[in-house]
Amino acid sequence: MAAQGEGAAGRQAPAVPTAADLVLARDRLLGRGAPHQAGRLGPDVLREALTDLHEFWLTVHAAQAGVGAGTSGIALVAVGGLGRRELVPFSDLDLVLVFAGRRDGRVEKVAEQLWYPLWNSGVGLDHSVRTVSEALDVAGDDLRTAMGLLDARHIAGDAALAGQLADAALDAWRTSVRRRVDDVIESARARWQRSGEVAHWVEPDLKHGRGGLRDLAILDALALAQLVDRPSGEVSAARRLLLDTRTELRRIAGRPRDVLMPQDGDEIAAVLGLTDRFVLARALSGAGRAVAYALDVAFRAVQPARQNRKVLGVLRRQPQRRPLSEGVVLNGDEVTLARDVDPSKDPALLLRVAAAAARTGRPIAPAALTRLGESAPEPRAPWPAEVRQELVSLLGAGEGLIDVVESLDRTGLWARLFPEWGAVRDLPPRDAAHVWTVDRHLVQATANAAKLVTRVSRPDLLLIGAVLHDIGKGRDQDHSIVGAKLARQVGERLGLAAADVATLSEMVRHHLLLPHTATRRNIEDEATVRRVVDTLGGDPVLLELLAALAEVDSLATGPGVWTDWKASLVADLVTRCRRRMAGEKLEEPTPLAADQRALAETVAASGRPDIIISSSERAFATITLVAADRPGLLSRAAGVLALHSLSVHAAELRAHAGVAVDVFSVSPRFGSLPDAGLLREQFTRALSGSLRLAEKLAAKERDYASELDDPPQARVLWFEDEADGGTESKDVVLELRAPDRLGLLHSTAEALERCGANILWARAMQVGGTAISSFSLASTGPANGDTWRREIERAVLSAV
């Protein structure tokens, strides 16, 4: 026995895991630093494992600090993700050290022993030390704390005290929730304004966006208050997908991240058993829509202000019913059906309800949507005129259209009107310039079009064209060509006249013609204008509609797509096309201004280069660089402008008095325009060779480069008959599409100059991370030869 006792006494107690051990174990669970894990944990299992790991570490250290099983008067409580057992990688630990009685040295010591090791190891921590009454007082003033305590779960110490906190927090929430509903709604809407929507944003915020995990927490809180039912199976499935995606996003990123970028999608999709990032994006969009819709319904159910509001001292017990349209009434705050209406006998009723809701900005009552879904007939083709007019009324409602289409789409009613919608529903776009999914982009463009209906002679065609212009996306063909066929199909079903069907189809087919031509071609060139007019068959109504559609489409694409510069170019092109359609003589190309001619004569006399900067009220500027004509002027000028972070939108290369006059339309990428004196000095040095332009540009690009995880592949395209070199020749246009960078125009122009190309003008634009640059090259010499073109292509792509 003695020997046994000595042996037992000689054994060492197990070592207490340190915070460094916790981090190491966490990283092993995440597979960090290991080769690709064949048996990596699934996202749900990983969350459970992370929860168990952190809970074990906290339990051991709490016991070491004197807060163990059987301890009285002090407890460690988890809230947030740890409290819900939904701990995702790199989440903060939300902990409350709750105690009874007075705060003393013992409580402070326990807190230090728990908090400091976590801080020192870099584990995120959101902590507090409070009595039950103190915690409730804070929750009474702070909505986030009140909702967080609903997840309270005992970790260590006095279980009864932890239970007292959880029960008291729930009771306080149920008692106070009705008077706090307005604060909950206001807080959610402010968050949505900052973070956007999970359902329709290309880069959704999985936690804070509308339809995200924060909204699920609100639904849970309202259900705990017994104000709404527990979330449905659809919402539960959405929760699982959002949590799994967020888990994998953080595992891949190796840090806290909640915004899903397109380049992360394929890897996450593979883990979740989905085909690719586009399938994942559509699934997330559906999940976000399910959560957002459930929360909208919940908010309408719990808002007390409109159901129990005193008016002139009298309590209004029954909401008033106010007629809005035939068979449509406003009941309280919701648009619903009149009592005696029969949806099965009125094919226009659905659209009247939708139009009334969009005009008033009020939601359609769920019961009305259900009844319409069960009995509203699909309008027979061709639609009667009154049904078609109700559709135009709905589409022209402006911003109110967006929520109405969302509610109709979720209940299958929108698909009855537009069966073609299925291919674009929740469809993520293929280029980075778009902020919205394709379906939301179409609805947003239509809402924008409502502001322009007084500008066009056919507002009905503008609205219908706006909602259909990208309907051909989601298929393996040119979306404009497919969309034109679908638009013809829709137009015939709507009962439009044959001429209007043709116009609608042409609108969709050519909805990119004006913006692409204005930003990539020389619109002062008669050949450019002639090509546009011929493409549109000389139809001024179609031209007018396409001009409006170009604006609403760009505005619905994303910030910075419809600029003052782009608007002025499109307007100029439309004016020139309209004059040609009317048989008027086109204006001659804009001559050099008097100050530009004077400067050229001065430079011819002195031999010294000079510069004019003309600012514009549209936040753009014209910079004229004048110097003795010589090869390499364009590339050097573009390089100097890039050094000052100026985006070049257009360059016209002219001459006067025997010197080159290069006119650049520019705007600052950030900051303001540079000093003319500094530009003049650097341009002079670039011409003389004393400015190490390539070296400085390379350093500038390293400092300001925006790395693209999946950059577009550079391409060179050639276009014939789009530039007029005069009566003797037709010039060619080279178009380069490549990842954008500061010095791209400089290096491309330099490559063209090395090949002996004679550049007449250049234009440039950015679409997301892609730069599209067009150069008109004089066709004299070997410009039409295949060998010369291949040489040009090799040089340009090598420079890119």
Side-chain angles (χ1 to χ4, degrees), residues 107-402:
V107 174
E108 299 298 336
K109 183 177 180 182
V110 170
E112 289 180 6
Q113 287 184 263
L114 288 172
W115 307 157
Y116 278 103
L118 294 171
W119 284 333
N120 293 337
S121 67
V123 175
L125 185 63
D126 188 353
H127 63 92
S128 61
V129 181
R130 295 188 176 110
T131 64
V132 171
S133 60
E134 288 173 344
L136 295 179
D137 287 343
V138 174
D141 295 328
D142 184 75
L143 189 61
R144 184 181 175 189
T145 300
M147 295 178 64
L149 287 176
L150 299 178
D151 299 319
R153 186 169 63 86
H154 171 256
I155 297 293
D158 191 336
L161 183 61
Q164 180 186 347
L165 173 64
D167 292 343
L170 179 57
D171 289 343
W173 174 249
R174 287 175 172 170
T175 301
S176 66
V177 65
R178 289 192 179 277
R179 62 179 170 79
R180 305 184 78 167
V181 163
D182 286 343
D183 291 338
V184 172
I185 294 173
E186 183 180 348
S187 173
R189 287 175 175 165
R191 171 167 50 80
W192 298 339
Q193 188 68 31
R194 295 190 303 270
S195 304
E197 302 182 30
V198 171
H200 298 294
W201 276 38
V202 174
E203 298 176 356
D205 187 324
L206 302 174
K207 181 178 181 181
H208 301 97
R210 185 184 183 195
L213 292 165
R214 273 283 171 85
D215 286 352
L216 283 165
I218 296 176
L219 281 171
D220 290 341
L222 295 177
L224 283 171
Q226 300 175 337
L227 295 180
V228 300
D229 294 334
R230 298 292 297 180
S232 66
E234 183 185 21
V235 172
S236 298
R239 182 197 306 272
R240 173 72 175 268
L241 179 62
L242 288 165
L243 273 173
D244 287 354
T245 305
R246 187 180 183 221
T247 300
E248 289 306 314
L249 173 62
R250 288 181 166 219
R251 171 154 44 186
I252 291 169
R255 58 186 176 88
R257 254 186 61 190
D258 296 318
V259 176
L260 176 64
M261 309 295 285
Q263 58 266 25
D264 301 316
D266 285 327
E267 187 173 351
I268 295 174
V271 174
L272 301 186
L274 302 174
T275 308
D276 55 29
R277 66 184 177 94
F278 298 104
V279 176
L280 172 63
R282 297 187 88 154
L284 284 171
S285 185
R289 296 173 84 162
V291 175
Y293 182 75
L295 189 58
D296 284 347
V297 172
F299 279 168
R300 295 205 297 271
V302 302
Q303 272 187 293
R306 294 176 174 84
Q307 294 160 4
N308 297 308
R309 182 179 295 161
K310 288 186 177 181
V311 180
L312 300 178
V314 178
L315 183 64
R316 182 192 299 168
R317 292 181 173 82
Q318 293 295 330
Q320 293 182 345
R321 296 172 69 87
R322 177 164 62 87
L324 296 176
S325 185
E326 183 182 352
V328 186
V329 298
L330 181 65
N331 184 29
D333 244 18
E334 295 179 329
V335 174
T336 190
L337 305 179
R339 291 188 178 96
D340 58 350
V341 73
D342 184 354
S344 65
K345 297 179 179 179
D346 188 349
L349 181 61
L350 167 60
L351 285 165
R352 287 204 303 276
V353 170
R359 285 195 308 270
T360 60
R362 306 295 174 82
I364 304 174
L369 287 170
T370 300
R371 192 175 172 199
L372 288 167
E374 292 172 347
S375 55
E378 181 178 336
R380 291 182 179 179
W383 287 16
E386 63 271 17
V387 179
R388 187 169 62 251
Q389 183 53 47
E390 292 297 343
L391 173 65
V392 173
S393 177
L394 168 62
L395 297 180
E399 292 295 321
L401 172 72
I402 296 170

Side-chain angles (χ1 to χ4, degrees), residues 27 60 69 112 190 245-246 348 419 446 454 495 506 535 627 642 647 653 675 697:
D27 289 347
V60 170
E112 289 180 6
T245 305
R246 187 180 183 221
T446 309
T454 58
E506 289 295 287
T535 300
S647 293
L653 315 181
D675 176 70
L697 266 178

Side-chain angles (χ1 to χ4, degrees), residues 615-656:
S615 296
S616 164
E617 72 276 5
R618 292 178 177 268
F620 289 83
T622 298
I623 296 181
T624 305
L625 301 176
V626 185
D629 200 1
R630 52 175 287 188
L633 275 179
L634 175 60
S635 62
R636 286 171 172 78
V640 171
L641 297 176
L643 283 181
H644 292 275
S645 303
L646 295 174
S647 293
V648 177
H649 303 280
E652 295 184 59
L653 315 181
R654 306 184 185 182
H656 180 72

